[in-house]
Amino acid sequence: MPLRQYKAKAHVFLDVGMEAVLNPINDAEVRAGAGCKVVVTLGPACHDVATLSRLLLAGVTCARINLSWGTKAYFEHCLANLGEAMKQTRRLCSVFLDTVGREVTIRRPVELDDNGWPTQTGETTLVVEAGQTVTITTDTKAEASPSLLPVSCDGFPGIVDVGQTLQVGRYLATGAEGGSLYLQVLEKSPTTLTCKAINSATLDGLLTVMICHQNDEDFRGDFSLPVLTPEDEDMIRHLGSRYDIDFLNLSYCNQEEDLYSARAFLDSVGMQQTKIVAKIERKSAVHNFESIAAVADGIIISRGNLGLDFEPEMTALLQKRIISRCNQLGKPVLLTRFVDTMVSTPRPTRAEATDVANAVLDGADGVLLGAETLRGLHPVLTVETVLRLCAAAERMFDYRTHHEMLMGEAYEEEVSLAHGHSSAADFGLLQHLRGSAPVNGGTPEHTVHTLHRQRVPSSTTLSSAGGADGNGGALGAEGSIGSMGGGAGGASPSRAPHSYVSEFGSLPPRDAASNLHLNRILLTHAPYMTKLESLASSATRTAEKINAGLIIVMVQSGRTVSLVAKYRPPMPIMAVVVPKLASTRLGWQLEGKFLARQTCVLRGVVPMLAAPMSEGSDELLDEAVCAAVVQRLVKPNDFVVCLKSVRGNMMVKVVQVNRTGTGISAMCGSNSNNMGAEAPDIISDRSPFGGWVCPPSPTAAAALSPRAFGRTLSGKPSPVLAPSAASPGRPGFMLGVPNTGLLMSTLSENWERAAQRLAENSGEGI
């Protein structure tokens, strides 16, 4: 059987007629934030409160701050305005912090405007002709010119070899704004590189320099520079102490050790709740993708930079392969560079529109917009256009085939890798994985807050191998506590495998193979899934079979909702997060708002931040359903599938929205425990049970009333279910209060007694 890593997934498209394809998208189908997600880059075009409010109302769920260009004052201004916009619109929006990392830029003089945004001064445009000699220098006093380019990295000449090709281009440049400059390295010294221009180019704006890799080339230059620069660390520490940063986008992440070192730095500055998204930008990251995807909380495919290392004919297949693997793991995956022409035009090209649809059909979680919202002329229109393109593609997404494909991929991976692993729940890893004692002698309580504190070592134990305590330990392969490595710029020492467990997606499998599980897989031809993945798969399949309008997931760590979202169900997914009190050793604070915003990156997921201390209450599900109706996620009389934990036990529950949309419908009648329930509800026409009317039973024929009996949702006869009297032409049912005479013991399914009662009634002339 071929190994899973040599396969790529094709488009998942419904087999429908041309009429269905040509059916236009109406505004009601574009539910803000309930489908594919849109990430905007904050900049001069959208930094004010009014524009940010319009973007949030249009459907933006994530906002990105890029540290490559800007000042602390400007970033604080943008984040303050974003917080005010969220208050005005009552919409949650996650915050991405994009690092500079191993990016090399050209030093040019700038001046700051009133908001702190840098603008270049002096000779802003550099014209270089083909064949011209260009010198790259590390001299900090040199001024940029067409023949001299000073770079920001002091050790850049040391990682470049003679004969290599360098690309000099504008940061967030679009294809419509001119080409890039390609230089061939002729000579090198410790401080300079002498190059020859391969083509002519006009350079403007913030300029970056990158090494173009060839086939079978040594990638040591990608690992020589620190993954976090001192400027990155200072900016992260400054902004993280004043604002809530939900995600750290790790630029130029080339190996899993980069993620471990970044995780260690975030925890050392008190940002334990910030998740890490790995940006796949270079060829070295592609070669190490499996290990990166297993550790990262999410993936961003930087298609612009990947185009420098790979030929154009390979980028499409590479994109499909990465998206397919992320779907299998349950990790969110975002793509860049879609509608570049909308920087200056109000409409995308046909190729760009098709590109967006292909990404949605491939299974991408969202689209990341760069220059379109940073400095574009139509930021709000761009977001609205992209969301309509995504909604049109989502309507044709074949989620059934996608579900079956994920199950088949899980089976093939189990067989090819020959491993099976034990089950672990969303609400905490197993006790032997966690390495902690139960609480008060009972079952240990696992929440997102304890996981955040225990998944990585504390700052005082980073240098020790295996010396972390219970409050700062890292999860090892078999529950052992291991060190995670050194700082952001150094190499990582030896560490235990799986020392950091991401809270999105599937849990990493054990290294040791299990012959028992493997034999079971080969005999049943079914994948061995963890308990949580099996429940997530069952919940989505149940919602599809009963045509539910919504899936509700009670979230504590994010793993449950990420596994449900990976199956791409056609109905929205509501992630209900309940804030909890956590000790800070100096006091108490509520935790949970980070997790609510972090679920905004998952496709089809809409977060709801519930009231504190409401977990486990009966009113929480009612409140969630009512909020979903208000947001147009579900309609009255629709079924809702709920995945929750009750005292540590996972369960899938099916409920129905009442006809007023204010909560869950409750059965009323003599055989119901809830005697104070509302008026009878009509079963939705969308249900497969609403279109079937059962024939009268012998018991019904013997009754004093001529009405026919109905059946419960399980198919059993019940005198409580009667045909709807409010709408006689409707093929559905109504839950009604039966005549007390129908519940007498003489009216059982005993044919003899029923016939006797019928004869007595006929003799009395009734």
Side-chain angles (χ1 to χ4, degrees):
M1 179 174 295
L3 293 180
R4 174 65 189 88
Q5 51 263 32
Y6 292 106
K7 295 180 61 179
K9 187 185 72 174
H11 283 315
V12 182
F13 191 80
L14 280 175
D15 186 12
V16 296
M18 188 62 69
E19 295 78 7
V21 176
L22 297 178
N23 189 22
I25 295 292
N26 53 47
D27 294 337
E29 296 183 68
V30 185
R31 293 174 290 194
C36 280
K37 303 310 175 73
V38 174
V39 184
V40 297
T41 302
L42 301 184
C46 63
H47 70 273
D48 58 288
V49 177
T51 305
L52 289 173
S53 299
R54 294 174 58 195
L55 289 173
L56 293 177
L57 293 175
V60 169
T61 56
C62 310
R64 180 178 72 143
I65 293 290
N66 200 314
L67 302 182
S68 297
W69 191 248
T71 61
K72 292 181 181 179
Y74 184 79
F75 296 147
E76 289 183 359
H77 173 73
C78 291
L79 292 176
N81 289 348
L82 179 61
E84 180 62 27
M86 284 192 286
K87 291 181 181 179
Q88 293 182 6
T89 60
R90 301 181 64 84
R91 299 287 181 90
L92 290 177
C93 181
S94 60
V95 177
F96 285 66
L97 204 61
D98 211 315
T99 63
V100 177
R102 299 181 170 102
E103 187 174 60
V104 180
T105 59
I106 303 297
R107 299 180 183 271
R108 305 181 70 182
V110 297
E111 63 181 9
L112 305 179
D113 61 10
D114 297 337
N115 296 321
W117 180 257
T119 305
Q120 291 181 347
T121 61
E123 188 178 1
T124 58
T125 302
L126 304 179
V127 180
V128 181
E129 300 295 337
Q132 178 180 335
T133 300
V134 179
T135 301
I136 296 178
T137 179
T138 59
D139 186 4
T140 57
K141 299 180 180 180
E143 295 184 2
S145 65
S147 60
L148 183 63
L149 300 177
V151 295
S152 59
C153 178
D154 295 336
F156 183 68
I159 64 176
V160 180
D161 296 331
V162 175
Q164 284 187 320
T165 302
L166 306 180
Q167 186 258 4
V168 181
R170 183 177 183 179
Y171 168 72
L172 293 181
T174 65
E177 295 174 331
S180 301
L181 173 64
Y182 290 90
L183 304 173
Q184 184 178 7
V185 180
L186 302 178
E187 299 177 359
K188 61 177 295 186
S189 69
T191 59
T192 61
L193 293 172
T194 303
C195 309
K196 176 183 178 181
I198 300 176
N199 65 304
S200 301
T202 301
L203 306 176
D204 188 16
L206 174 63
L207 302 177
T208 62
V209 182
M210 296 184 62
I211 304 174
C212 300
H213 294 303
Q214 304 297 326
N215 294 331
D216 301 328
E217 185 178 340
D218 186 9
F219 306 127
R220 69 179 186 278
D222 292 340
F223 302 94
S224 300
L225 302 178
V227 68
L228 291 178
T229 64
E231 292 78 10
D232 284 333
E233 296 180 353
D234 180 61
M235 193 73 73
I236 293 171
R237 187 182 295 107
H238 177 80
L239 296 177
S241 63
R242 291 165 173 79
Y243 300 95
D244 293 339
I245 307 300
D246 302 302
F247 293 96
L248 181 71
N249 295 348
L250 198 60
S251 299
Y252 301 95
C253 178
N254 296 326
Q255 55 186 346
E256 60 177 321
E257 283 72 15
D258 295 340
L259 294 165
Y260 290 119
S261 60
R263 180 76 267 165
F265 172 75
L266 289 177
D267 292 338
S268 67
V269 297
M271 299 175 64
Q272 291 86 355
Q273 298 189 66
T274 301
K275 296 185 183 297
I276 302 178
V277 177
K279 295 184 68 176
I280 307 300
E281 303 188 70
R282 306 313 309 267
K283 185 175 289 187
S284 54
V286 174
H287 284 282
N288 298 323
F289 176 74
E290 287 295 327
S291 60
I292 293 175
V295 178
D297 296 304
I299 297 294
I300 292 179
I301 305 177
S302 183
R303 303 195 300 175
N305 292 339
L306 281 178
L308 300 177
D309 285 357
F310 294 95
E311 298 297 332
E313 61 270 17
M314 298 179 61
T315 55
L317 299 178
L318 183 62
Q319 169 182 317
K320 291 178 181 294
R321 176 65 188 95
I322 294 177
I323 294 177
S324 176
R325 184 56 177 164
C326 290
N327 288 166
Q328 184 183 1
L329 295 175
K331 300 294 181 73
V333 53
L334 306 173
L335 278 73
T336 64
R337 306 296 296 270
F338 278 100
V339 287
D340 289 345
T341 57
M342 294 196 72
V343 172
S344 56
T345 61
R347 286 174 60 88
T349 64
R350 289 180 292 272
E352 291 173 341
T354 305
D355 194 18
V356 174
N358 285 338
V360 176
L361 295 175
D362 286 340
D365 286 83
V367 174
L368 194 152
L369 300 177
E372 300 92 336
T373 58
L374 177 78
R375 50 184 169 85
L377 301 179
H378 317 282
V380 180
L381 180 60
T382 301
V383 170
E384 295 173 347
T385 302
V386 171
L387 284 175
R388 293 183 69 87
L389 294 173
C390 293
E394 290 170 6
R395 188 175 60 174
M396 297 294 125
F397 187 82
D398 191 353
Y399 53 90
R400 295 186 182 94
T401 303
H402 178 76
H403 188 283
E404 296 173 358
M405 189 176 299
L406 288 181
M407 299 296 291
E409 289 173 345
Y411 168 75
E412 292 180 7
E413 176 162 314
E414 291 286 352
V415 174
S416 62
L417 299 181
H419 63 249
H421 49 86
S422 59
S423 175
D426 178 22
F427 306 96
L429 308 179
L430 295 179
Q431 180 181 347
H432 70 277
L433 290 177
R434 196 176 164 223
S436 60
V439 179
N440 298 327
T443 302
E445 297 181 358
H446 309 277
T447 65
V448 60
H449 323 294
T450 56
L451 283 176
H452 274 300
R453 288 193 294 268
Q454 298 186 14
R455 63 184 181 184
V456 290
S458 61
S459 58
T460 58
T461 59
L462 290 177
S463 58
S464 63
D469 57 12
N471 294 327
L475 293 171
E478 298 295 334
S480 60
I481 307 298
S483 174
M484 281 211 341
S492 301
S494 59
R495 52 175 174 76
H498 308 316
S499 58
Y500 165 60
V501 179
S502 170
E503 286 150 0
F504 276 170
S506 306
L507 284 168
R510 288 186 178 182
D511 295 333
S514 174
N515 294 329
L516 178 62
H517 293 160
L518 180 59
N519 291 335
R520 174 192 174 276
I521 293 168
L522 295 175
L523 289 175
T524 61
H525 296 279
Y528 180 81
M529 306 174 68
T530 63
K531 179 180 70 174
L532 189 61
E533 288 191 89
S534 179
L535 285 170
S537 173
S538 301
T540 55
R541 182 53 61 93
T542 301
E544 181 242 326
K545 291 298 183 182
I546 67 173
N547 201 12
L550 179 70
I551 298 177
I552 294 179
V553 182
M554 302 298 175
V555 180
Q556 289 195 11
S557 72
R559 193 178 308 280
T560 309
V561 68
S562 66
L563 292 177
V564 173
K566 85 173 188 177
Y567 291 103
R568 306 292 185 249
M571 65 287 299
I573 306 169
M574 173 170 279
V576 180
V577 181
V578 181
K580 293 186 177 181
L581 281 175
S583 174
T584 60
R585 298 184 180 180
L586 297 178
W588 296 87
Q589 67 177 5
L590 282 175
E591 291 184 355
K593 56 182 180 179
F594 275 89
L595 182 58
R597 292 191 302 266
Q598 287 165 349
T599 58
C600 289
V601 76
L602 300 172
R603 176 169 165 176
V605 177
V606 178
M608 171 189 167
L609 192 60
M613 312 305 292
S614 62
E615 183 181 8
S617 63
D618 297 336
E619 293 79 12
L620 180 58
L621 193 55
D622 274 336
E623 181 183 352
V625 170
C626 182
V629 174
V630 173
Q631 299 181 49
R632 299 186 306 168
L633 301 178
V634 69
K635 297 184 298 183
N637 300 322
D638 281 354
F639 288 109
V640 176
V641 176
C642 180
L643 183 58
K644 58 186 297 187
S645 173
V646 179
R647 297 180 179 179
N649 298 317
M650 299 292 295
M651 63 174 293
V652 178
K653 183 177 182 180
V654 179
V655 297
Q656 185 183 14
V657 185
N658 59 25
R659 60 185 178 186
T660 60
T662 57
I664 301 173
S665 62
M667 178 182 293
C668 64
S670 301
N671 63 342
S672 174
N673 294 328
N674 189 2
M675 300 301 297
E678 61 176 20
D681 283 337
I682 299 174
I683 296 179
S684 172
D685 285 335
R686 299 176 58 183
S687 168
F689 304 101
W692 178 69
V693 179
C694 64
S697 66
T699 307
L704 299 178
S705 175
R707 66 180 179 177
F709 282 13
R711 291 180 180 269
T712 63
L713 297 184
S714 61
K716 297 181 180 180
S718 173
V720 181
L721 296 176
S724 172
S727 54
R730 186 186 182 97
F733 292 89
M734 174 179 287
L735 302 181
V737 180
N739 192 316
T740 55
L742 298 179
L743 300 180
M744 296 173 58
S745 59
T746 56
L747 291 180
S748 63
E749 292 296 332
N750 189 317
W751 283 88
E752 183 179 354
R753 291 190 177 185
Q756 181 181 359
R757 179 65 183 273
L758 182 61
E760 293 175 356
N761 293 338
S762 301
E764 295 175 1
I766 297 179

